[in-house]
Amino acid sequence: MKPLIGIAGNILLDHDAMNGFPITYTPQGFVKGVQQANAIPVVFPISDPHESKEYMSKVDGLLLAGGQDVSPLLFGEEPSLKLGATYPARDAFEIALVKEALHQAKPIFAVCRGLQLLNVAYGGTLYQDVSDYPALAVQHIQLTHFETGAHTITIDPDSTIGKIFGDQYVVNTYHHQAIKNLADPFKAVAWSTDGLVEAFEAKSSSQSIVAVQWHPELMLSHDVMMQRLFTDFVKRVIKKMT
Amino acid sequence: MKPLIGIAGNILLDHDAMNGFPITYTPQGFVKGVQQANAIPVVFPISDPHESKEYMSKVDGLLLAGGQDVSPLLFGEEPSLKLGATYPARDAFEIALVKEALHQAKPIFAVCRGLQLLNVAYGGTLYQDVSDYPALAVQHIQLTHFETGAHTITIDPDSTIGKIFGDQYVVNTYHHQAIKNLADPFKAVAWSTDGLVEAFEAKSSSQSIVAVQWHPELMLSHDVMMQRLFTDFVKRVIKKMT
Amino acid sequence: MKPLIGIAGNILLDHDAMNGFPITYTPQGFVKGVQQANAIPVVFPISDPHESKEYMSKVDGLLLAGGQDVSPLLFGEEPSLKLGATYPARDAFEIALVKEALHQAKPIFAVCRGLQLLNVAYGGTLYQDVSDYPALAVQHIQLTHFETGAHTITIDPDSTIGKIFGDQYVVNTYHHQAIKNLADPFKAVAWSTDGLVEAFEAKSSSQSIVAVQWHPELMLSHDVMMQRLFTDFVKRVIKKMT
Amino acid sequence: MKPLIGIAGNILLDHDAMNGFPITYTPQGFVKGVQQANAIPVVFPISDPHESKEYMSKVDGLLLAGGQDVSPLLFGEEPSLKLGATYPARDAFEIALVKEALHQAKPIFAVCRGLQLLNVAYGGTLYQDVSDYPALAVQHIQLTHFETGAHTITIDPDSTIGKIFGDQYVVNTYHHQAIKNLADPFKAVAWSTDGLVEAFEAKSSSQSIVAVQWHPELMLSHDVMMQRLFTDFVKRVIKKMT
Amino acid sequence: MKPLIGIAGNILLDHDAMNGFPITYTPQGFVKGVQQANAIPVVFPISDPHESKEYMSKVDGLLLAGGQDVSPLLFGEEPSLKLGATYPARDAFEIALVKEALHQAKPIFAVCRGLQLLNVAYGGTLYQDVSDYPALAVQHIQLTHFETGAHTITIDPDSTIGKIFGDQYVVNTYHHQAIKNLADPFKAVAWSTDGLVEAFEAKSSSQSIVAVQWHPELMLSHDVMMQRLFTDFVKRVIKKMT
Amino acid sequence: MKPLIGIAGNILLDHDAMNGFPITYTPQGFVKGVQQANAIPVVFPISDPHESKEYMSKVDGLLLAGGQDVSPLLFGEEPSLKLGATYPARDAFEIALVKEALHQAKPIFAVCRGLQLLNVAYGGTLYQDVSDYPALAVQHIQLTHFETGAHTITIDPDSTIGKIFGDQYVVNTYHHQAIKNLADPFKAVAWSTDGLVEAFEAKSSSQSIVAVQWHPELMLSHDVMMQRLFTDFVKRVIKKMT
Amino acid sequence: MKPLIGIAGNILLDHDAMNGFPITYTPQGFVKGVQQANAIPVVFPISDPHESKEYMSKVDGLLLAGGQDVSPLLFGEEPSLKLGATYPARDAFEIALVKEALHQAKPIFAVCRGLQLLNVAYGGTLYQDVSDYPALAVQHIQLTHFETGAHTITIDPDSTIGKIFGDQYVVNTYHHQAIKNLADPFKAVAWSTDGLVEAFEAKSSSQSIVAVQWHPELMLSHDVMMQRLFTDFVKRVIKKMT
Amino acid sequence: MKPLIGIAGNILLDHDAMNGFPITYTPQGFVKGVQQANAIPVVFPISDPHESKEYMSKVDGLLLAGGQDVSPLLFGEEPSLKLGATYPARDAFEIALVKEALHQAKPIFAVCRGLQLLNVAYGGTLYQDVSDYPALAVQHIQLTHFETGAHTITIDPDSTIGKIFGDQYVVNTYHHQAIKNLADPFKAVAWSTDGLVEAFEAKSSSQSIVAVQWHPELMLSHDVMMQRLFTDFVKRVIKKMT
């Protein structure tokens, strides 16, 4: 039996693409990354947080995808001037999923907003916009085509990320929020050259969590290294299943 | 434990809504209809047909949603002049899901394209465009808002559909393909006034299948009767689970 | 005290103009025509038909404006292939208003869809699309700018319309439905050269009703004759008030 | 007899939605809020201020909706660099309606621009753009979906607003003008965390006025508390009628 | 003194290009053709026909440009189903200009709609749409780039046109109206291969008129022959001036 | 004989409105203002400056309309960062027209860009963008509808402008360039409240020049005072003709 | 030394993609197909036919890509009603290239329009639109995504095409012109089920020509068989080089 | 034999102009400039840098066109906040072409991005955005139509550029990157008035390189001087061929 991976889905409201009908969706890159790692993906529609236990009990691992800003009300701030669109119901469902995943000891792989959500779920805080970061010097929303890496990250070579990418790599970048204070259970393992956290992992070996700020799912067809993040995730899942 | 319903998802390619990134998605009405029937929905990305067994073994019922035309190559015809866009990979995955659902005796609820796909999967044929139907007299792609019923259907009062709606009802309508020859295992249970099949069910009581040509998921918030199709589906699922 | 004129309003759903928010609205030409006739206009939002008595008791006259197609289900037909968008809730509210207006002996002025609705309310029928009219020979949806008359009508010189316009006039034209059978209480008073009814009035002198198929409210600033339809309406209202 | 509520309408010029025809309109949320409070709404087209007495004498209460900026010429300033679009004819008509409402002792409920207009009508002043407010720290034009509250307000618990919402609530926010000096007859009853007035009421108990800066009409279907503002308004109207 | 050429201008209403402001305009190709023929162009705004005498007395020649359909009411027909947009005020002004030009013995050069208008001004009739022409066999609205000739015309070699182009040429084509009956004072001098009139001239040598159905002003930069039509026109003007 | 007014026209390149064909045009407000003042307008296409003598000798007065920025190279500056689009060929032709108009003692009326061009033609300078003006405090590109005045100007009551408008008026405003140093032959006669020149006239009584920074041609139908600027211009023209 | 392949390029005029600047271009699929066949592609801009000798002498093979309709004037017909856009200068240059390629005995691979152009260059004729083909029964412009084959072709198994694909295959389809009479030097080798020629080859073994009506370059990434057409072409080129 | 000029092409991804198909392209101005200089242009698709030797050995000169930003990673910087889109694969291929051109002693003509790429290829650096240049005072992205020169450059009269244009000229301008440190082998020969390098040439007479920052290819039809840059390039090529 292949492992079953739950991808926490998003909702698209009022868009022409669908004649104005809302849809539940997830970017295809996440689907493909999981499939190519020889696992079975299903998408979770945004649901009542009380369903999180049911959802997590059906799957073997949790993938947190990109999307809206995380609501600042969740880390004790009012919306500042450059906050983007938030979707509090998604925040609530994903925080419940994350807690349930930990409770059931199921591995997590988090991308971009996923990384930010995880940090907030465990008590961390965010810059509501990268321009709030005093040392900002690198472009974090690239205009270059999404399949192409744009800026350099330095990596802790002893981390899971480091074992895949070595101590330096060029990644793509599309985020306007960023980690301010990292939550206690996590350790940073990669940084942009202006000092923002680009990846973190669980400190405790009993938790299997990898979170990255860039978008590996958009680079799959142009950079084979990015698939390894998915393959590594599925390996971590299989290890916990046995 | 609530029943888990697999919704066979769709893919959106090349669309502005998502900056050109493809997505796996399903219309929110299907998600909502299942949730309001007190079941747990997950979305299946279009996958290799060989995964159909894994997918069906994880869920308790299968929902087939709307979307592209069914490829005429599947019922022995070349594309005629008014054929719409098809997506053969979806056809193949959903036919495999349908066969596996039957094999595992899991109930099916099919909507619009879902109805057409089911028919083709079991040997039926389609009009590639309603204008190929000689007796065509009713508008089958309504311009009226989707939440509003537009044309009348007559219903076999002894059918499952008939038990919900009685012997006549006004439904919405958005289809340009339609059933030509109904596949052997099915019996028609509703018709438009110009004679097209608007709903069918399994002849055999060992199979639990309901298929409708209209879009109940778009009328949920304006016509409470439409929720009953989802509630009935979940009841059928629970019955098979026990 | 000036007379108060109720304009039966319309609803606009899902449109960019309003960031997707629905609005209650009426074309400004109707507002202006009433104001320039020295009366006070208010717009009625589409409401429950049961509110029609309350609404009509507040005003002195009823103006029926243009808009969606009238639902063919109201005159015993299924939607034919070229039917446009309908809005059954508006049909129901306006039919109730019309009946209440008659009951309270309050004058009516009806334009385009208003003429069609009135006809259906009293048992008449419509061509769902002008192309269903066998003798069709004149363009009834003009491409010429709306302020400019496009085709000729011939007029019964003894009618109210005839007293304003004489026995022939050039009017604008934007309708794809048209009167098939005129309802019993009405008499036709103007026709296009291919024979479609372009205006009707109440046969009985106890009812004060004028209905036109063209759009006088769009020609107000370019053709002073068109204001006379509004001025005549307000005169009819004042006569009934005293 | 149900109370009749006059909603001061707006005008939309030159927009594609209507093929460039101007329309009189009001957002549907105001219509729905009044209807659900069991009152009868009519929309007032923007009219000559001299008609305000006629208009107010026909209705039992006045609802001031959102829309354009209030012209700074009305409070003694020239347009500053970030002023938005104004519509002086609407300002003039609504100021006349407000004065007439007070004269006839009819209750008022004001939303967003309505609150600003009321303040200016009684001698208050506005920030032409929130960026003119020195202590600005909160995002007042949210990117989050309009049905979702975005920032926190603190509320005087003894006020009408406070009796509905308690001493703190999360509301939506779409305004770029804001109150600078509050007019004398009013007292502030709610504030954003950066100190802007979010709601005010009449000081004198002989006047029945409630004004809010956020948009309750856009949250009706997602937050039942927002309907209470409309229900409270209709209660105030009924009290004055008797 | 160079000759002064009056170009009968057009009006553009409601267009985004000009933020919705109407403009008086003429295609630049007419301006350039006249300038390159060493004459001075001015554009006449559409005016009251009574101004035609004043206008024609100021200039030495009249150029009739392309544009809207000619109103069928002018040649005794009602609008048929495929009529395009008309602009009766332009028709009226140009007919007055044409008559005045003849009265003052000033040469005319007419292009596309100009040819049609001239024909109607002198009692000719038009096909309201080329599809009304029973022998239609050639595409008269080309999809090929406007600078490129698309179909062949045969030419009376003894005509003015024939002296420029010889007895056959390939011209561009953008017209959906066409000459049905040619007015008495004119003789056809060129035809498409399916028999429609592509150019005519005055029969009488006392009148200096050349009219073409294609658009030489759009081919100026790619086909030097087309400039000759303008140069010939200015030569005819100079001849009459002396 | 009515006076003939030359309106210096503009060119529109590459725009969808005209399928990408360039056109010579002028806003209709200028045409209408001249017509309503009982004069005859013609539009001058942008031409070689050497044609200016021919053009001015045909007409009795010159109207300079709005449009592009004036090239800073003409007043000795390089393009600064916020310069808008310029059209040097129009600058050159209009400067030649202006000089010829003076030489032939023909009156000028200049609007917006026309005012700026006149100033530069006589040695004045411009702010390339109003934000270059240190004392800027008023919004000079209004968002309010163009028919509505937005900011106040103070006026020299002894000037021609003052005789029309009195010493204060509210005008519309759409300019991002503005007068820096006024050319020697002119005197300022109106100012915005932040001190920019809003109108000037010729110092010498032998020259008949009025120039305004706002757009009277856009307010004609809503503010009868604006027509007086055109009527006054035609009066000045007639005076010089005799 | 790798073979050098000349791809006859196209021109794009007036398009937004390039701010209205024309470009010389070729679809990337042709570039990729050649590169993956281990040859070197260069793109020929449309040039004077006299340059064809220079161009062909620089390269080892010629690839004719898709694009505009071939002008019917080249095969003795006037444009019929459904002709698409043509580009005669491209036709002329490519016909010259084809003749030069034959003269220099250099292989040709032709796709879609390339096939049609080749046919016309050697005296064949075309249906200007597939609807002119009396036996039309298959959809030749698919709505299905371009990477997916849509209709079936039958193939002469002894042809070059047959050696690649066998005697039947499903290909994509985007053409509205089609071969009527095949030119003498060619033999048809594949047909759609309604009888249109889908591929042809040179009869004479001294000429190395393969031409297909479908678009293999759009299916490269989804159907490995399509690359074989390019690989076969390069093999044919290498054979001639030695 | 005419010289063959290789134009290093660009790629356009995901654009509507081409239904989302990528294309290899080059702006037509470069093609035309080369053709009018009596040479033969071919376009090089972006290729593996290893093909650069093959490509350069086929042609006699290299033209580097405009386009994307040069990646800052190539000159040791991370992307700064205003970096535009880059395309690293193009950078790599063009750097290889440049080096090969030098190795084979073939002349280069570089425009805009071409100038920047050349500078980086030889060790120079760039301002990632002109706003990073402290002395910035001139608008370097003009809004004025591209055919029209906008700002002044001063030129070393002894340079190749100087021999064409003299010591001062007005050029168009569309660049947001600019030269910071000029690479060692080059000498600046033209400057904007705020001091940015507008052209450079090779110091060594053994290298034949001219690079300009503006866009001569867009001014060809309006300024005959610009063709001379192409003609001079082809002369330099011919000189090296012999």
Side-chain angles (χ1 to χ4, degrees), chain B residues 136-139 143-146 148-152 170 193, chain C residues 13-14 73 78-88:
Chain B
L136 182 72
V138 170
Q139 188 185 52
L143 300 178
T144 292
H145 201 256
F146 56 84
T148 309
H151 76 63
T152 310
V170 175
T193 60
Chain C
L13 298 167
D14 306 331
L73 299 176
E78 287 293 301
S80 72
L81 302 186
K82 293 185 183 167
L83 181 68
T86 64
Y87 200 78

mmCIF file of all heavy atoms in Angstrom, chain B residues 136-139 143-146 148-152 170 193, chain C residues 13-14 73 78-88:
data_model
loop_
_atom_site.group_PDB
_atom_site.id
_atom_site.type_symbol
_atom_site.label_atom_id
_atom_site.label_comp_id
_atom_site.label_asym_id
_atom_site.label_seq_id
_atom_site.Cartn_x
_atom_site.Cartn_y
_atom_site.Cartn_z
ATOM 1 N N LEU B 136 -34.617 17.986 -30.800
ATOM 2 C CA LEU B 136 -34.234 19.079 -29.892
ATOM 3 C C LEU B 136 -35.230 20.235 -29.945
ATOM 4 O O LEU B 136 -35.514 20.776 -31.014
ATOM 5 C CB LEU B 136 -32.852 19.603 -30.280
ATOM 6 C CG LEU B 136 -32.318 20.715 -29.371
ATOM 7 C CD1 LEU B 136 -31.920 20.141 -28.018
ATOM 8 C CD2 LEU B 136 -31.145 21.415 -30.027
ATOM 9 N N ALA B 137 -35.757 20.651 -28.795
ATOM 10 C CA ALA B 137 -36.709 21.761 -28.763
ATOM 11 C C ALA B 137 -36.549 22.629 -27.527
ATOM 12 O O ALA B 137 -37.146 23.691 -27.435
ATOM 13 C CB ALA B 137 -38.137 21.227 -28.829
ATOM 14 N N VAL B 138 -35.750 22.188 -26.591
ATOM 15 C CA VAL B 138 -35.590 22.914 -25.323
ATOM 16 C C VAL B 138 -34.153 23.427 -25.221
ATOM 17 O O VAL B 138 -33.225 22.770 -25.665
ATOM 18 C CB VAL B 138 -35.915 21.973 -24.128
ATOM 19 C CG1 VAL B 138 -35.528 22.619 -22.807
ATOM 20 C CG2 VAL B 138 -37.386 21.603 -24.131
ATOM 21 N N GLN B 139 -34.005 24.606 -24.630
ATOM 22 C CA GLN B 139 -32.677 25.189 -24.408
ATOM 23 C C GLN B 139 -31.960 24.423 -23.288
ATOM 24 O O GLN B 139 -32.443 24.411 -22.159
ATOM 25 C CB GLN B 139 -32.868 26.649 -24.010
ATOM 26 C CG GLN B 139 -31.586 27.449 -23.929
ATOM 27 C CD GLN B 139 -31.849 28.851 -23.415
ATOM 28 O OE1 GLN B 139 -32.470 29.021 -22.376
ATOM 29 N NE2 GLN B 139 -31.388 29.849 -24.142
ATOM 30 N N LEU B 143 -29.241 30.703 -20.074
ATOM 31 C CA LEU B 143 -28.588 31.986 -19.850
ATOM 32 C C LEU B 143 -29.031 32.565 -18.514
ATOM 33 O O LEU B 143 -28.399 33.457 -17.978
ATOM 34 C CB LEU B 143 -28.930 32.943 -20.992
ATOM 35 C CG LEU B 143 -28.481 32.433 -22.357
ATOM 36 C CD1 LEU B 143 -28.901 33.396 -23.454
ATOM 37 C CD2 LEU B 143 -26.977 32.218 -22.393
ATOM 38 N N THR B 144 -30.129 32.042 -18.015
ATOM 39 C CA THR B 144 -30.622 32.439 -16.697
ATOM 40 C C THR B 144 -29.597 32.050 -15.633
ATOM 41 O O THR B 144 -28.876 31.079 -15.795
ATOM 42 C CB THR B 144 -31.980 31.748 -16.475
ATOM 43 O OG1 THR B 144 -32.897 32.335 -17.394
ATOM 44 C CG2 THR B 144 -32.490 31.896 -15.058
ATOM 45 N N HIS B 145 -29.546 32.835 -14.548
ATOM 46 C CA HIS B 145 -28.561 32.627 -13.487
ATOM 47 C C HIS B 145 -28.593 31.173 -12.992
ATOM 48 O O HIS B 145 -29.647 30.582 -12.857
ATOM 49 C CB HIS B 145 -28.852 33.604 -12.329
ATOM 50 C CG HIS B 145 -27.682 33.829 -11.443
ATOM 51 N ND1 HIS B 145 -27.567 33.260 -10.200
ATOM 52 C CD2 HIS B 145 -26.568 34.547 -11.627
ATOM 53 C CE1 HIS B 145 -26.440 33.633 -9.641
ATOM 54 N NE2 HIS B 145 -25.795 34.423 -10.479
ATOM 55 N N PHE B 146 -27.405 30.650 -12.693
ATOM 56 C CA PHE B 146 -27.281 29.210 -12.443
ATOM 57 C C PHE B 146 -28.050 28.717 -11.219
ATOM 58 O O PHE B 146 -28.300 27.535 -11.080
ATOM 59 C CB PHE B 146 -25.812 28.824 -12.317
ATOM 60 C CG PHE B 146 -25.062 29.587 -11.275
ATOM 61 C CD1 PHE B 146 -25.093 29.201 -9.938
ATOM 62 C CD2 PHE B 146 -24.327 30.710 -11.620
ATOM 63 C CE1 PHE B 146 -24.396 29.908 -8.979
ATOM 64 C CE2 PHE B 146 -23.627 31.425 -10.656
ATOM 65 C CZ PHE B 146 -23.665 31.024 -9.337
ATOM 66 N N THR B 148 -31.035 29.281 -10.581
ATOM 67 C CA THR B 148 -32.456 29.267 -10.882
ATOM 68 C C THR B 148 -32.779 28.144 -11.851
ATOM 69 O O THR B 148 -32.118 28.014 -12.888
ATOM 70 C CB THR B 148 -32.840 30.610 -11.553
ATOM 71 O OG1 THR B 148 -32.342 31.677 -10.754
ATOM 72 C CG2 THR B 148 -34.333 30.728 -11.712
ATOM 73 N N GLY B 149 -33.782 27.356 -11.543
ATOM 74 C CA GLY B 149 -34.234 26.319 -12.462
ATOM 75 C C GLY B 149 -34.783 26.953 -13.726
ATOM 76 O O GLY B 149 -35.373 28.028 -13.686
ATOM 77 N N ALA B 150 -34.610 26.280 -14.860
ATOM 78 C CA ALA B 150 -35.025 26.877 -16.128
ATOM 79 C C ALA B 150 -36.009 26.033 -16.920
ATOM 80 O O ALA B 150 -36.909 26.564 -17.548
ATOM 81 C CB ALA B 150 -33.808 27.170 -16.984
ATOM 82 N N HIS B 151 -35.847 24.719 -16.929
ATOM 83 C CA HIS B 151 -36.799 23.925 -17.705
ATOM 84 C C HIS B 151 -37.370 22.788 -16.858
ATOM 85 O O HIS B 151 -36.829 22.406 -15.829
ATOM 86 C CB HIS B 151 -36.220 23.454 -19.038
ATOM 87 C CG HIS B 151 -35.245 22.322 -18.975
ATOM 88 N ND1 HIS B 151 -35.545 21.067 -18.533
ATOM 89 C CD2 HIS B 151 -33.947 22.267 -19.335
ATOM 90 C CE1 HIS B 151 -34.490 20.285 -18.612
ATOM 91 N NE2 HIS B 151 -33.504 20.988 -19.090
ATOM 92 N N THR B 152 -38.443 22.214 -17.359
ATOM 93 C CA THR B 152 -39.196 21.207 -16.612
ATOM 94 C C THR B 152 -38.680 19.807 -16.949
ATOM 95 O O THR B 152 -38.328 19.542 -18.095
ATOM 96 C CB THR B 152 -40.682 21.303 -17.038
ATOM 97 O OG1 THR B 152 -41.084 22.666 -16.942
ATOM 98 C CG2 THR B 152 -41.558 20.436 -16.163
ATOM 99 N N VAL B 170 -38.600 21.684 -11.875
ATOM 100 C CA VAL B 170 -37.879 22.614 -12.757
ATOM 101 C C VAL B 170 -36.419 22.660 -12.318
ATOM 102 O O VAL B 170 -36.116 22.967 -11.164
ATOM 103 C CB VAL B 170 -38.507 24.027 -12.705
ATOM 104 C CG1 VAL B 170 -37.684 25.003 -13.535
ATOM 105 C CG2 VAL B 170 -39.944 23.988 -13.225
ATOM 106 N N THR B 193 -38.709 17.851 -21.585
ATOM 107 C CA THR B 193 -39.945 17.747 -22.368
ATOM 108 C C THR B 193 -39.666 17.437 -23.830
ATOM 109 O O THR B 193 -40.569 17.042 -24.566
ATOM 110 C CB THR B 193 -40.789 19.028 -22.259
ATOM 111 O OG1 THR B 193 -40.009 20.105 -22.740
ATOM 112 C CG2 THR B 193 -41.212 19.284 -20.826
ATOM 113 N N LEU C 13 -26.241 41.100 -10.689
ATOM 114 C CA LEU C 13 -25.464 40.139 -9.908
ATOM 115 C C LEU C 13 -24.051 40.049 -10.440
ATOM 116 O O LEU C 13 -23.837 40.138 -11.643
ATOM 117 C CB LEU C 13 -26.104 38.754 -10.020
ATOM 118 C CG LEU C 13 -27.526 38.635 -9.474
ATOM 119 C CD1 LEU C 13 -28.149 37.326 -9.920
ATOM 120 C CD2 LEU C 13 -27.503 38.707 -7.954
ATOM 121 N N ASP C 14 -23.093 39.862 -9.567
ATOM 122 C CA ASP C 14 -21.769 39.369 -9.966
ATOM 123 C C ASP C 14 -21.038 40.277 -10.932
ATOM 124 O O ASP C 14 -20.247 39.801 -11.748
ATOM 125 C CB ASP C 14 -21.893 38.021 -10.710
ATOM 126 C CG ASP C 14 -22.662 36.970 -9.932
ATOM 127 O OD1 ASP C 14 -22.645 37.012 -8.716
ATOM 128 O OD2 ASP C 14 -23.247 36.114 -10.605
ATOM 129 N N LEU C 73 -42.145 29.805 -18.872
ATOM 130 C CA LEU C 73 -42.957 28.915 -18.039
ATOM 131 C C LEU C 73 -44.234 29.626 -17.616
ATOM 132 O O LEU C 73 -45.254 28.982 -17.349
ATOM 133 C CB LEU C 73 -42.158 28.476 -16.803
ATOM 134 C CG LEU C 73 -40.859 27.699 -17.086
ATOM 135 C CD1 LEU C 73 -40.117 27.402 -15.788
ATOM 136 C CD2 LEU C 73 -41.144 26.399 -17.845
ATOM 137 N N GLU C 78 -41.915 25.718 -22.605
ATOM 138 C CA GLU C 78 -40.563 25.440 -22.127
ATOM 139 C C GLU C 78 -39.602 26.412 -22.819
ATOM 140 O O GLU C 78 -39.918 26.946 -23.894
ATOM 141 C CB GLU C 78 -40.162 23.998 -22.471
ATOM 142 C CG GLU C 78 -40.850 22.944 -21.622
ATOM 143 C CD GLU C 78 -40.425 22.992 -20.159
ATOM 144 O OE1 GLU C 78 -39.227 22.842 -19.865
ATOM 145 O OE2 GLU C 78 -41.314 23.193 -19.293
ATOM 146 N N PRO C 79 -38.424 26.672 -22.239
ATOM 147 C CA PRO C 79 -37.443 27.571 -22.867
ATOM 148 C C PRO C 79 -37.062 27.082 -24.261
ATOM 149 O O PRO C 79 -36.641 25.934 -24.416
ATOM 150 C CB PRO C 79 -36.229 27.487 -21.941
ATOM 151 C CG PRO C 79 -36.739 26.961 -20.652
ATOM 152 C CD PRO C 79 -37.945 26.140 -20.960
ATOM 153 N N SER C 80 -37.212 27.911 -25.276
ATOM 154 C CA SER C 80 -36.779 27.503 -26.607
ATOM 155 C C SER C 80 -35.319 27.900 -26.813
ATOM 156 O O SER C 80 -34.700 28.535 -25.955
ATOM 157 C CB SER C 80 -37.683 28.112 -27.672
ATOM 158 O OG SER C 80 -37.432 29.488 -27.775
ATOM 159 N N LEU C 81 -34.773 27.547 -27.967
ATOM 160 C CA LEU C 81 -33.303 27.555 -28.092
ATOM 161 C C LEU C 81 -32.670 28.929 -27.951
ATOM 162 O O LEU C 81 -31.520 29.040 -27.551
ATOM 163 C CB LEU C 81 -32.895 26.897 -29.416
ATOM 164 C CG LEU C 81 -33.383 25.456 -29.587
ATOM 165 C CD1 LEU C 81 -32.810 24.855 -30.850
ATOM 166 C CD2 LEU C 81 -33.029 24.589 -28.389
ATOM 167 N N LYS C 82 -33.374 30.000 -28.275
ATOM 168 C CA LYS C 82 -32.759 31.334 -28.242
ATOM 169 C C LYS C 82 -33.248 32.185 -27.086
ATOM 170 O O LYS C 82 -33.023 33.399 -27.085
ATOM 171 C CB LYS C 82 -33.046 32.045 -29.563
ATOM 172 C CG LYS C 82 -32.338 31.394 -30.747
ATOM 173 C CD LYS C 82 -32.548 32.190 -32.004
ATOM 174 C CE LYS C 82 -31.899 31.483 -33.197
ATOM 175 N NZ LYS C 82 -32.363 32.088 -34.467
ATOM 176 N N LEU C 83 -33.907 31.577 -26.121
ATOM 177 C CA LEU C 83 -34.327 32.348 -24.951
ATOM 178 C C LEU C 83 -33.111 33.024 -24.303
ATOM 179 O O LEU C 83 -32.033 32.450 -24.229
ATOM 180 C CB LEU C 83 -34.979 31.401 -23.930
ATOM 181 C CG LEU C 83 -35.498 32.084 -22.651
ATOM 182 C CD1 LEU C 83 -36.694 32.978 -22.969
ATOM 183 C CD2 LEU C 83 -35.861 31.059 -21.588
ATOM 184 N N GLY C 84 -33.296 34.241 -23.830
ATOM 185 C CA GLY C 84 -32.231 34.935 -23.097
ATOM 186 C C GLY C 84 -32.327 34.641 -21.612
ATOM 187 O O GLY C 84 -33.068 33.761 -21.185
ATOM 188 N N ALA C 85 -31.570 35.406 -20.799
ATOM 189 C CA ALA C 85 -31.614 35.227 -19.346
ATOM 190 C C ALA C 85 -32.963 35.698 -18.812
ATOM 191 O O ALA C 85 -33.480 36.724 -19.234
ATOM 192 C CB ALA C 85 -30.488 36.010 -18.700
ATOM 193 N N THR C 86 -33.509 34.928 -17.882
ATOM 194 C CA THR C 86 -34.744 35.330 -17.205
ATOM 195 C C THR C 86 -34.438 35.556 -15.726
ATOM 196 O O THR C 86 -33.345 35.228 -15.260
ATOM 197 C CB THR C 86 -35.819 34.228 -17.306
ATOM 198 O OG1 THR C 86 -35.338 33.071 -16.607
ATOM 199 C CG2 THR C 86 -36.090 33.864 -18.756
ATOM 200 N N TYR C 87 -35.393 36.138 -15.007
ATOM 201 C CA TYR C 87 -35.238 36.302 -13.560
ATOM 202 C C TYR C 87 -36.619 36.118 -12.935
ATOM 203 O O TYR C 87 -37.337 37.091 -12.693
ATOM 204 C CB TYR C 87 -34.644 37.673 -13.236
ATOM 205 C CG TYR C 87 -34.014 37.719 -11.866
ATOM 206 C CD1 TYR C 87 -32.764 37.162 -11.646
ATOM 207 C CD2 TYR C 87 -34.678 38.301 -10.795
ATOM 208 C CE1 TYR C 87 -32.183 37.179 -10.391
ATOM 209 C CE2 TYR C 87 -34.105 38.323 -9.538
ATOM 210 C CZ TYR C 87 -32.855 37.756 -9.339
ATOM 211 O OH TYR C 87 -32.282 37.768 -8.092
ATOM 212 N N PRO C 88 -36.977 34.852 -12.683
ATOM 213 C CA PRO C 88 -38.343 34.540 -12.249
ATOM 214 C C PRO C 88 -38.810 35.334 -11.032
ATOM 215 O O PRO C 88 -39.991 35.678 -10.957
ATOM 216 C CB PRO C 88 -38.267 33.034 -11.948
ATOM 217 C CG PRO C 88 -37.188 32.533 -12.845
ATOM 218 C CD PRO C 88 -36.173 33.637 -12.900
#
